[in-house]
Amino acid sequence: MTLHASNRRGRLRVYLGSAPGVGKTYRMLDEAHRRRDRGADVVVGYIECHGRRHTEHILQGLEVTPRLSRHYRGSDFPEMDLDAILARRPAVVLVDELAHTNTPGGRNAKRWQDVQELLAAGIDVITTVNVQHLESLNDVVQKITGIPQRETVPDEVVRRADQIELVDMAPQALRRRMAHGNVYRAEKVDAALSHYFRVGNLTALRELALLWVAGRVDEGLRDYRATHDIDRVWETRERVVVALTGGPEGETLVRRAARIADRTAGGELLAVHVTRSDGLAGASPGNLAEQRQLVETLGGSYHVVVGDDIATALLAFARAHHATQLVLGTSRRGRVNRFLTGPGIGETTVDRSEDIDVHMVTHEFTGRGRLPALGRRHSRRRAVAGYLAGLVLPLLLTAALSQARSAVNLTTDTLVLQLGVVAVALLGGAASALLAALAASLLLNYYFIPPVHTFTVAEPNNVIALGVFAAVALTVSTVVDRAARLTTRAARATAEAETLSTLAGSVLRGAKALPALLEKTRTAFGMDSVTLLDRVAGEVVARTDSAGTAAAPDRIVSEVPVSDHALLVLTGRRLPAADQRVLTAFAAHVAAALERDRLATVAAEVEPIRAADRMRTALLAAVSHDLRTPLAAALAAVGSLRSPEVEFSARDRAELLDLADESLVKLTRLVDNLLDMSRLQAGALTLHLAPIRPAEALVRAMDSLARPDAAVQPLGLDTAPAVLADPPLLERVLANVITNALRYNAPGEPVLVAASSLRGRVEIRVVDRGPGIAPQDRDRVFLPFQRLGDTDNTTGVGLGLALSRGLAEAMGGSLEVEDTPGGGTTMLLTLPAATG
C-alpha cells in the first residue's frame, strides 16, 4: 500500500523536447512501465497519442484515467479529469502536454496549474513540454518559425522541476521519422516538412533547447556549491574575466579575452572595471565607454565594482561569477614608479589567484606610464618609506655637500636641503616632511653654518636663514598634505560619478529597469544578494538578485529606504560610509524605476481607451468621405428616377436602379466593416463557434463577393478537416482576403485557395501572382485605413485586411503574409481544427 504524507509535496519530472515527434511521450511511457515494474502505483492522467502506433502500443498495460468531456460553444472537448485523479491518489501520474490550455469551464485555465494541484497533493507527476512553449522563448521561436505559440508555460514552473530530461534528436533523423509516417499522418507530412520542420528551424530549436537545459544545469550547480559552501572554481564552463582600467590598452585586452572565451563552446566573456576611493590611474570615461561597447559587441557583459583593494575586488568578482580565467594587462608603470610604489595589481592578483588562471597580456603601452600622481593618499608602505627618507636623504645630501664645500656656499647648501625636504613631502606626506625638515635644519646648523660642528649660530643673518628654512619646509609639507586630501575627495567623487553613470547607462539600454538596477547594485558593491521589498496593495513583493554563492554565517545586512513603501536590503560585506552615500544614490534610481513601472502599468490600462479614441477618430474620418460617396450616388440615382421632369427609357431606368443597388451594397458592406471593427476594438464582438469545412466557407464567401464569377481555384479544400470558427465571420474573412487578392492579382491568373492541416490546426492559403508586399510593409497592411501602393481611395477605406486579422484572432486563429514562390503574395489563415 502506498502512503502519502499530507505535508509531502510531489516530485515533478519534465521531458523537454526541441520539437514535436522527438519522442517525449514515448520516453515518458517507458519510464512509467519501468516504475510500474518496480511496484509503483502509476496512472496515466492524460496522454495524446496523435495516432502514432508506437505510442499507442507502449500505452497498453497502463491504467488510464477516463477523460472528462467538457462542452463549450456547441462542441465537446476531452480534458484531463483532475478530480478523479485526486480521488484515486496514485503515487505517480503521467500528464502529457504541460502547456495545454484547458477548455473553459474548469477551475484552472492551464494544464500546468492542474499539475501544481497534483504536486501539492503529494502526487509525483511526469510530464512533457516542447521548448517553443516556454514563455521566455516564445518570441524567439516565432521569429525562427514564423508561427506564434499561444500555449505557453512559465519558465519558473519547468525550472522548479526536480528532474528535467532533454529528449534530443538530430533534425535529419526527425525528418526521416516524419517521412516514415511515425509523427503525422501521410496527408500532413509534406506541409510539415516544407514549413515548420525545415532543417534550419529544427536546428535552431534544438540549440535553444540545449542552451536552456544547460542554463538550468548551471543553476543547479550553483545551488549545490552554495549549499555545500564550495568556493573553489569548478571549470565546468570557461568564464573569462577581463580587467579594464580605462587605459588605452583596454581594446587589446578585450579582444584577447574574447579569443580565449571563444576557444571552447559556451565560453562567457565578462569585463569588469574597479572603482576605488582614490580612483584608478589613467582611467578615461571615454575609453571605458568605447571598451564597454566593444565588450557588448563581442557578446560579453560589462560590470563595475567598488573596492579599495583592486586585486581583492577583481578576485572576489571572478569567484562570484565562477570565472576560470582572468585577463590583465601588464603594468604601464615605469621602473621608477614600481620602485617607489612596490608590487602592482597584476603581481598581487597572481599571488592571490589560487585556482584561477591569470593571463598577463603585454601591449604597446607597457612601461610607458607616468610617475606616481602627486598628492594622493599615501599607503602604509609609502608612509614608512617617507619616514626612512626623512632620516636618510638629509644625511646623504649633507655628505655630498660636504665633499663640495669649496665649490658651493651656504645659500646652495640651504636650497639643496630644502629640495630634499620637498621630495620627502611628496613621497611620505606631512609627517615625514616635518621629520626631514627637523633633520635638515640640525645638519645645516651643524655642518654648514659657522661655527661648524657646533649647534650654535654666530651671525644673526644665519639665524634668520635657518628660521626661514624651517618655515618653508613646514609650509610645503602642509600644502602637500592638503593637496592629498583634496585629490582623494576629487578621485572619490569621480569614482562615484563613474559608477552612477555606468548604472544609468545600463538601465537606459535595458528594457527591464528594476532587474538591471538590482544586478548592478549587487555587483557594484560586491554583495551576496540584493532584495527589494515593495508593498503593493497591502502585500509585500520581494524582488531578489543573488550571486548564487554561499553567504558567510556572519554576513552583514544593510537596509536603505527607497520610498515610503519600499526598502532595499543588501547582504554581504560591511559597507564603509563613503559607499553608503553611493548606495543612497542607487536607491534613488531604484525609487525612480519603481515609479516608472507604476506609471507604465497605469499607461497600459489607459492605452486601450486611447486606442479606442484613435479608432473612433479614424472612423469619423472615414465616414466623412467614404460613406458619403456611395450614399450620394444612391441618392442621385433614386432622385433621378423620382424626378417628373425627365422621361427615362427602360434601359436608362435599369442602369440607374443598378447604380443605386451597387451603391447601397457598398454602403452596407462598409457600415458592416466599420461596426465590426468598432466591436473588435471595444472587445464587444460576440462569437458563435461551430465546426465548418473550408470548402463550405469558400462557397459562402464567393456568393458574397461583388464578382461571384471571379477566377478563384480551390485546391485540397474537400479533404481538409473542419475548422472551429464563427461561420459568418469566417465567410467575411475569406471574402475580404480573396477580394484583396483579386484586386492585385496578375491578369489572366486565377487566385488559388488551398487548405492543409498541421498539429491540430488548419491552414488556409489564398495565393495571388501580383506584385507582392515588401517585408517592411507586411505589418502595415493590417493596420486600419492602410492601402499600400494604391492612391485611389474610391474603392474603400482599407479596412478589409485589418478587420480580417482581427476576426481571425478573435476566433483563436491568425492571419499572416508570406511570399508566393515565383512572385506574389500568400495570405495564410490559420484556425483551430474542430474535434469530435
Side-chain angles (χ1 to χ4, degrees):
M1 183 175 66
T2 304
L3 298 178
H4 296 277
S6 59
N7 59 349
R8 185 189 81 88
R9 181 175 175 83
R11 296 176 60 83
L12 176 62
R13 180 168 187 166
V14 177
Y15 286 96
L16 176 69
S18 58
V22 296
K24 303 180 302 299
T25 304
Y26 190 93
R27 188 79 64 85
M28 177 174 64
L29 291 171
D30 184 63
E31 173 67 15
H33 280 282
R34 188 178 66 83
R35 295 197 183 195
R36 189 202 60 179
D37 294 342
R38 290 199 319 236
D41 182 16
V42 180
V43 168
V44 176
Y46 189 94
I47 289 292
E48 194 65 63
C49 293
H50 298 289
R52 299 166 188 168
R53 60 182 184 276
H54 298 295
T55 305
E56 293 172 349
H57 176 74
I58 197 174
L59 178 61
Q60 297 175 6
L62 295 174
E63 178 183 344
V64 180
T65 303
R67 296 184 179 184
L68 178 69
S69 180
R70 187 164 292 149
H71 189 78
Y72 179 70
R73 290 185 174 176
S75 299
D76 293 325
F77 300 90
E79 292 291 350
M80 182 176 71
D81 194 340
L82 176 61
D83 292 329
I85 298 173
L86 291 173
R88 168 69 172 75
R89 295 190 65 80
V92 182
V93 63
L94 309 187
V95 180
D96 206 6
E97 298 183 351
L98 181 63
H100 171 74
T101 300
N102 293 331
T103 304
R107 62 175 174 269
N108 294 321
K110 295 285 188 177
R111 183 166 291 165
W112 64 263
Q113 295 171 322
D114 295 339
V115 168
Q116 294 297 312
E117 282 199 38
L118 295 172
L119 295 173
I123 301 174
D124 294 345
V125 178
I126 305 177
T127 186
T128 64
V129 69
N130 281 324
V131 69
Q132 67 262 29
H133 296 299
L134 295 174
E135 183 65 45
S136 66
L137 300 178
N138 184 261
D139 57 336
V140 179
V141 172
Q142 182 174 351
K143 291 178 182 177
I144 294 172
T145 64
I147 299 176
Q149 300 292 335
R150 290 180 172 80
E151 291 188 331
T152 60
V153 58
D155 287 47
E156 190 60 27
V157 173
V158 183
R159 201 182 298 276
R160 287 202 305 263
D162 299 280
Q163 295 182 57
I164 299 177
E165 184 172 331
L166 177 66
V167 182
D168 186 34
M169 178 174 287
Q172 294 80 1
L174 180 56
R175 286 171 60 85
R176 283 197 300 271
R177 174 182 287 187
M178 180 168 293
H180 293 158
N182 294 329
V183 179
Y184 294 139
R185 293 193 298 271
E187 64 270 16
K188 298 182 179 181
V189 171
D190 291 339
L193 290 175
S194 60
H195 293 90
Y196 191 90
F197 287 83
R198 293 191 294 264
V199 173
N201 289 358
L202 296 177
T203 303
L205 293 173
R206 186 188 189 195
E207 182 179 10
L208 283 177
L210 290 169
L211 291 175
W212 194 91
V213 173
R216 175 64 178 85
V217 172
D218 195 50
E219 291 176 6
L221 179 61
R222 287 202 301 268
D223 293 340
Y224 178 86
R225 287 164 53 86
T227 303
H228 294 79
D229 197 17
I230 299 174
D231 293 328
R232 291 182 296 104
V233 174
W234 287 2
E235 299 182 7
T236 55
R237 180 189 296 185
E238 289 291 353
R239 292 184 176 88
V240 182
V241 173
V242 54
L244 301 177
T245 66
E249 75 283 357
E251 291 190 8
T252 301
L253 302 182
V254 170
R255 290 191 171 92
R256 179 61 183 275
R259 290 196 297 271
I260 295 175
D262 288 341
R263 290 175 184 170
T264 57
E268 295 182 21
L269 173 64
L270 302 93
V272 59
H273 173 61
V274 180
T275 60
R276 62 184 186 186
S277 58
D278 61 349
L280 282 176
S284 166
N287 286 346
L288 286 174
E290 294 176 359
Q291 291 160 18
R292 174 179 188 146
Q293 184 176 4
L294 177 61
V295 169
E296 294 175 347
T297 301
L298 294 173
S301 57
Y302 181 86
H303 307 265
V304 177
V305 299
V306 177
D308 289 331
D309 188 330
I310 296 179
T312 300
L314 284 176
L315 291 171
F317 175 85
R319 291 192 174 97
H321 289 79
H322 310 296
T324 56
Q325 304 189 56
L326 184 59
V327 177
L328 297 91
T330 53
S331 178
R332 288 183 285 122
R333 301 178 304 155
R335 294 182 179 179
V336 176
N337 196 329
R338 291 197 295 271
F339 172 78
L340 293 175
T341 59
I345 296 170
E347 299 173 47
T348 306
T349 303
V350 171
D351 292 340
R352 302 177 186 174
S353 61
E354 297 177 354
D355 49 1
I356 299 178
D357 297 337
V358 180
H359 300 261
M360 299 297 297
V361 179
T362 58
H363 49 83
E364 59 179 315
F365 303 98
T366 300
R368 298 185 182 182
R370 299 169 295 178
L371 288 173
L374 305 180
R376 291 230 175 145
R377 185 183 66 185
H378 303 291
S379 63
R380 182 180 298 275
R381 179 186 178 91
R382 288 187 62 183
V384 173
Y387 285 119
L388 292 176
L391 293 174
V392 175
L393 186 58
L395 292 175
L396 295 177
L397 293 177
T398 299
L401 291 172
S402 297
Q403 296 297 322
R405 186 184 300 275
S406 59
V408 296
N409 55 21
L410 180 59
T411 302
T412 303
D413 297 333
T414 303
L415 293 176
V416 170
L417 288 172
Q418 183 69 68
L419 181 61
V421 172
V422 173
V424 172
L426 295 176
L427 177 62
S432 58
L434 291 175
L435 178 61
L438 177 59
S441 299
L442 294 175
L443 292 172
L444 182 65
N445 185 6
Y446 189 82
Y447 285 101
F448 301 107
I449 296 179
V452 296
H453 302 128
T454 65
F455 289 103
T456 60
V457 180
E459 297 183 10
N461 288 337
N462 292 338
V463 175
I464 296 174
L466 187 60
V468 171
F469 176 86
V472 170
L474 178 62
T475 302
V476 169
S477 61
T478 302
V479 170
V480 168
D481 187 64
R482 177 175 175 78
R485 289 196 301 271
L486 294 176
T487 303
T488 299
R489 294 176 187 173
R492 180 69 193 186
T494 300
E496 293 174 359
E498 179 184 329
T499 303
L500 293 174
S501 174
T502 303
L503 170 71
S506 301
V507 173
L508 289 175
R509 275 188 291 269
K512 299 180 179 179
L514 273 177
L517 278 168
L518 296 180
E519 192 269 339
K520 289 297 178 182
T521 302
R522 179 183 60 78
T523 58
F525 295 97
M527 306 302 286
D528 294 333
S529 67
V530 175
T531 302
L532 175 64
L533 301 177
D534 184 21
R535 184 175 297 276
V536 179
E539 297 183 359
V540 176
V541 179
R543 301 177 177 90
T544 301
D545 184 88
S546 173
T549 57
D554 57 344
R555 63 181 182 175
I556 305 298
V557 178
S558 302
E559 297 182 355
V560 180
V562 172
S563 64
D564 294 338
H565 50 77
L567 183 69
L568 198 62
V569 180
L570 298 88
T571 57
R573 67 186 182 93
R574 185 181 300 277
L575 294 177
D579 287 350
Q580 289 280 0
R581 184 173 64 253
V582 182
L583 181 58
T584 302
F586 273 58
H589 281 281
V590 172
L594 271 175
E595 185 63 23
R596 188 172 69 178
D597 278 4
R598 291 191 178 91
L599 292 175
T601 302
V602 174
E605 295 173 353
V606 174
E607 181 57 31
I609 301 175
R610 294 179 56 192
D613 288 340
R614 289 195 297 267
M615 179 57 63
R616 281 193 291 270
T617 302
L619 291 175
L620 291 175
V623 168
S624 67
H625 178 275
D626 295 275
L627 283 179
R628 186 170 61 242
T629 301
L631 184 60
L635 287 174
V638 173
S640 298
L641 290 172
R642 290 173 56 88
S643 175
E645 300 176 357
V646 181
E647 287 290 336
F648 292 99
S649 65
R651 180 178 179 181
D652 292 339
R653 181 179 294 274
E655 288 182 355
L656 288 173
L657 288 173
D658 288 342
L659 175 61
D661 181 68
E662 180 182 353
S663 299
L664 291 175
V665 168
K666 289 181 179 180
L667 183 62
T668 301
R669 185 180 296 114
L670 180 59
V671 170
D672 287 342
N673 284 344
L674 291 172
L675 290 176
D676 284 342
M677 182 59 72
S678 299
R679 293 190 188 101
L680 277 174
Q681 294 293 325
L685 186 66
T686 302
L687 298 178
H688 300 282
L689 300 181
I692 180 173
R693 292 195 170 274
E696 180 184 353
L698 178 61
V699 172
R700 295 183 182 181
M702 293 298 298
D703 290 341
S704 67
L705 291 180
R707 298 163 52 192
D709 58 342
V712 176
Q713 178 181 344
L715 184 64
L717 296 184
D718 294 334
T719 59
V723 299
L724 187 63
D726 187 306
L729 295 185
L730 177 58
E731 172 192 332
R732 294 278 300 283
V733 172
L734 288 175
N736 286 339
V737 173
I738 292 173
T739 299
N740 188 76
L742 291 170
R743 179 180 298 132
Y744 295 105
N745 196 26
E749 292 284 344
V751 171
L752 299 180
V753 181
S756 61
S757 61
L758 177 66
R759 295 177 60 243
R761 302 183 76 80
V762 177
E763 297 179 344
I764 302 175
R765 289 178 168 80
V766 178
V767 183
D768 69 57
R769 294 291 179 178
I773 301 175
Q776 64 270 19
D777 292 332
R778 290 181 181 176
D779 288 333
R780 286 208 300 135
V781 298
F782 293 107
L783 296 177
F785 316 111
Q786 296 290 328
R787 307 186 69 245
L788 298 178
D790 188 359
T791 57
D792 175 22
N793 62 0
T794 62
T795 57
V797 293
L799 276 177
L801 291 182
L803 179 61
S804 298
R805 170 176 273 189
L807 294 176
E809 292 177 348
M811 293 185 290
S814 63
L815 182 62
E816 305 293 339
V817 180
E818 293 182 351
D819 286 328
T820 300
T825 300
T826 296
M827 288 291 176
L828 175 61
L829 173 63
T830 304
L831 292 169
T835 58

